[in-house]
Short mmCIF file of all heavy atoms in Angstrom, two decimals:
data_model
loop_
_atom_site.label_atom_id
_atom_site.label_comp_id
_atom_site.label_asym_id
_atom_site.label_seq_id
_atom_site.Cartn_x
_atom_site.Cartn_y
_atom_site.Cartn_z
N LYS O 115 14.87 7.17 3.11
CA LYS O 115 14.94 8.40 2.30
C LYS O 115 14.61 9.62 3.15
O LYS O 115 15.17 10.69 2.98
CB LYS O 115 13.97 8.32 1.12
CG LYS O 115 14.52 7.53 -0.05
CD LYS O 115 13.57 7.63 -1.23
CE LYS O 115 13.54 6.33 -2.00
NZ LYS O 115 12.30 6.14 -2.73
N MET O 116 13.65 9.41 4.08
CA MET O 116 13.25 10.53 4.91
C MET O 116 14.41 11.01 5.78
O MET O 116 14.59 12.22 5.96
CB MET O 116 12.06 10.14 5.78
CG MET O 116 11.45 11.34 6.45
SD MET O 116 10.30 10.85 7.72
CE MET O 116 11.43 10.14 8.89
N MET O 117 15.20 10.09 6.33
CA MET O 117 16.30 10.51 7.17
C MET O 117 17.33 11.31 6.38
O MET O 117 17.89 12.28 6.87
CB MET O 117 16.96 9.31 7.86
CG MET O 117 16.07 8.57 8.85
SD MET O 117 15.19 9.59 10.08
CE MET O 117 16.55 10.38 10.91
N ALA O 118 17.56 10.91 5.14
CA ALA O 118 18.48 11.68 4.29
C ALA O 118 17.88 13.06 4.00
O ALA O 118 18.57 14.08 4.03
CB ALA O 118 18.73 10.92 2.99
N PHE O 119 16.59 13.06 3.78
CA PHE O 119 15.83 14.29 3.51
C PHE O 119 15.97 15.28 4.68
O PHE O 119 16.22 16.46 4.50
CB PHE O 119 14.36 13.89 3.32
CG PHE O 119 13.44 14.98 2.84
CD1 PHE O 119 13.24 15.18 1.49
CD2 PHE O 119 12.74 15.76 3.74
CE1 PHE O 119 12.36 16.15 1.04
CE2 PHE O 119 11.87 16.75 3.30
CZ PHE O 119 11.69 16.94 1.94
N LEU O 120 15.83 14.74 5.90
CA LEU O 120 15.88 15.59 7.10
C LEU O 120 17.28 16.14 7.36
O LEU O 120 17.46 17.06 8.13
CB LEU O 120 15.39 14.82 8.33
CG LEU O 120 13.94 14.32 8.25
CD1 LEU O 120 13.56 13.60 9.53
CD2 LEU O 120 12.98 15.48 8.02
N ASN O 121 18.27 15.54 6.71
CA ASN O 121 19.65 16.01 6.84
C ASN O 121 20.01 17.04 5.78
O ASN O 121 21.14 17.48 5.72
CB ASN O 121 20.61 14.83 6.69
CG ASN O 121 21.04 14.32 8.04
OD1 ASN O 121 21.72 15.04 8.77
ND2 ASN O 121 20.63 13.13 8.38
N ASP O 122 19.06 17.35 4.93
CA ASP O 122 19.36 18.21 3.79
C ASP O 122 18.67 19.57 3.96
O ASP O 122 17.47 19.70 3.73
CB ASP O 122 18.84 17.50 2.52
CG ASP O 122 19.26 18.23 1.26
OD1 ASP O 122 19.65 19.41 1.35
OD2 ASP O 122 19.19 17.61 0.19
N PRO O 123 19.43 20.58 4.38
CA PRO O 123 18.83 21.90 4.63
C PRO O 123 18.10 22.44 3.41
O PRO O 123 17.06 23.10 3.54
CB PRO O 123 20.02 22.79 4.97
CG PRO O 123 21.14 21.88 5.30
CD PRO O 123 20.88 20.58 4.60
N GLU O 124 18.63 22.15 2.24
CA GLU O 124 18.05 22.71 1.02
C GLU O 124 16.60 22.26 0.81
O GLU O 124 15.72 23.06 0.53
CB GLU O 124 18.90 22.27 -0.16
CG GLU O 124 19.08 23.33 -1.20
CD GLU O 124 20.17 22.93 -2.18
OE1 GLU O 124 21.36 23.03 -1.83
OE2 GLU O 124 19.80 22.49 -3.27
N VAL O 125 16.37 20.94 0.95
CA VAL O 125 15.00 20.45 0.70
C VAL O 125 14.05 20.89 1.82
O VAL O 125 12.87 21.15 1.59
CB VAL O 125 14.95 18.91 0.52
CG1 VAL O 125 15.66 18.50 -0.74
CG2 VAL O 125 15.45 18.15 1.72
N LEU O 126 14.58 21.00 3.04
CA LEU O 126 13.72 21.45 4.15
C LEU O 126 13.31 22.91 3.96
O LEU O 126 12.15 23.27 4.19
CB LEU O 126 14.44 21.27 5.50
CG LEU O 126 14.63 19.82 5.95
CD1 LEU O 126 15.46 19.76 7.22
CD2 LEU O 126 13.29 19.13 6.19
N LEU O 127 14.26 23.73 3.50
CA LEU O 127 13.92 25.13 3.25
C LEU O 127 12.89 25.23 2.14
O LEU O 127 11.98 26.06 2.18
CB LEU O 127 15.18 25.92 2.87
CG LEU O 127 16.12 26.23 4.05
CD1 LEU O 127 17.41 26.90 3.55
CD2 LEU O 127 15.44 27.10 5.09
#
Side-chain angles (χ1 to χ4, degrees):
Chain O
K115 278 186 216 155
M116 192 192 68
M117 295 312 301
F119 189 90
L120 298 181
N121 262 294
D122 188 342
E124 219 168 283
V125 293
L126 290 175
L127 286 174

